[in-house]
Amino acid sequence: YRAFDRGVELHLAQDYERASAEFIEAFRRDSMFVVALIYAAQALWNDDEFVRADSVLRSHHAQHVEVSEYHDLLADYMQAHLASDGDRALSAIRRAAQIAPSTRSPYNLAFTALRMNRPQEALSTLLALDTDTGPMRDWPSYWTQRAHAHHLLAQHDREREAAREMARRHPSLRVPLA
């Protein structure tokens, strides 16, 4: 479980390569801890390692170990993305966000909604999140997605406000300038 905790810490720091290695190590130490494989797949996905993410997800399913509905939904969400099934991905992450609203699932819902050309749904989801506490605290990608949703809705003043807020909160990043 220490390996899993290290993986979570590295994942939050957006060090996905090392995070995935820690999650896989956690599973290696306890083969019943298949949730670690789901988190490993998520880290690999975030690191654009889609083939490896797919392989890890297949390993998860091969274990035949029951996990919570939430974790099943996360796995289904990623598998749907890998299969280019946006509707299934959106459905899975919507349900995950309902079950666990204090996780990053609502962010992932907004992210997916934007890719499915649903900027209003994405923006509504993002605006409901607390950016000062919980999983959105210190998460610069929140502001990127929020600015993008405003852009797609031709709300350019609000897009600029989101970029400025990101710059204020994350002054070392160059993304807000773009």
Side-chain angles (χ1 to χ4, degrees):
Y1 300 106
R2 288 183 186 143
F4 184 81
D5 284 345
R6 284 190 302 272
V8 169
E9 188 175 306
L10 290 164
H11 192 273
L12 292 175
Q14 297 181 332
D15 186 347
Y16 302 121
E17 182 178 347
R18 289 177 44 211
S20 63
E22 290 292 344
F23 291 134
I24 290 169
E25 176 63 17
F27 173 73
R28 190 187 68 71
R29 290 175 179 253
D30 179 356
S31 62
M32 297 300 288
F33 192 23
V34 296
V35 167
L37 290 178
I38 296 169
Y39 282 80
Q42 205 166 35
L44 290 164
W45 174 273
N46 288 341
D47 207 24
D48 296 333
E49 293 279 350
F50 303 118
V51 172
R52 289 182 62 209
D54 183 57
S55 176
V56 168
L57 286 169
R58 289 176 193 273
S59 295
H60 153 65
H61 282 296
Q63 299 302 315
H64 302 292
V65 175
E66 272 193 51
V67 295
S68 69
E69 179 185 5
Y70 171 74
H71 288 107
D72 262 344
L73 288 163
L74 283 183
D76 188 45
Y77 164 69
M78 287 183 283
Q79 287 175 317
H81 265 296
L82 289 167
S84 298
D85 187 343
D87 290 329
R88 190 175 110 216
L90 195 57
S91 177
I93 202 63
R94 270 192 195 123
R95 179 70 182 131
Q98 287 173 340
I99 291 171
S102 62
T103 66
R104 283 231 171 106
S105 290
Y107 168 84
N108 289 332
L109 167 57
F111 178 86
T112 304
L114 282 171
R115 269 111 200 107
M116 297 287 295
N117 197 28
R118 296 172 177 262
Q120 189 58 59
E121 180 179 4
L123 186 59
S124 296
T125 301
L126 291 168
L127 291 174
L129 299 174
D130 184 348
T131 57
D132 295 317
T133 62
M136 291 303 104
R137 183 172 169 251
D138 296 329
W139 186 248
S141 297
Y142 167 88
W143 297 100
T144 304
Q145 300 309 314
R146 185 166 160 178
H148 185 57
H150 284 303
H151 179 79
L152 292 175
L153 292 167
Q155 299 171 348
H156 302 299
D157 288 341
R158 290 186 177 139
E159 175 186 9
R160 199 170 21 260
E161 288 171 15
R164 286 182 178 144
E165 185 62 18
M166 182 182 185
R168 185 186 73 75
R169 290 172 183 249
H170 307 281
S172 66
L173 296 180
R174 296 176 51 195
V175 172
L177 299 175

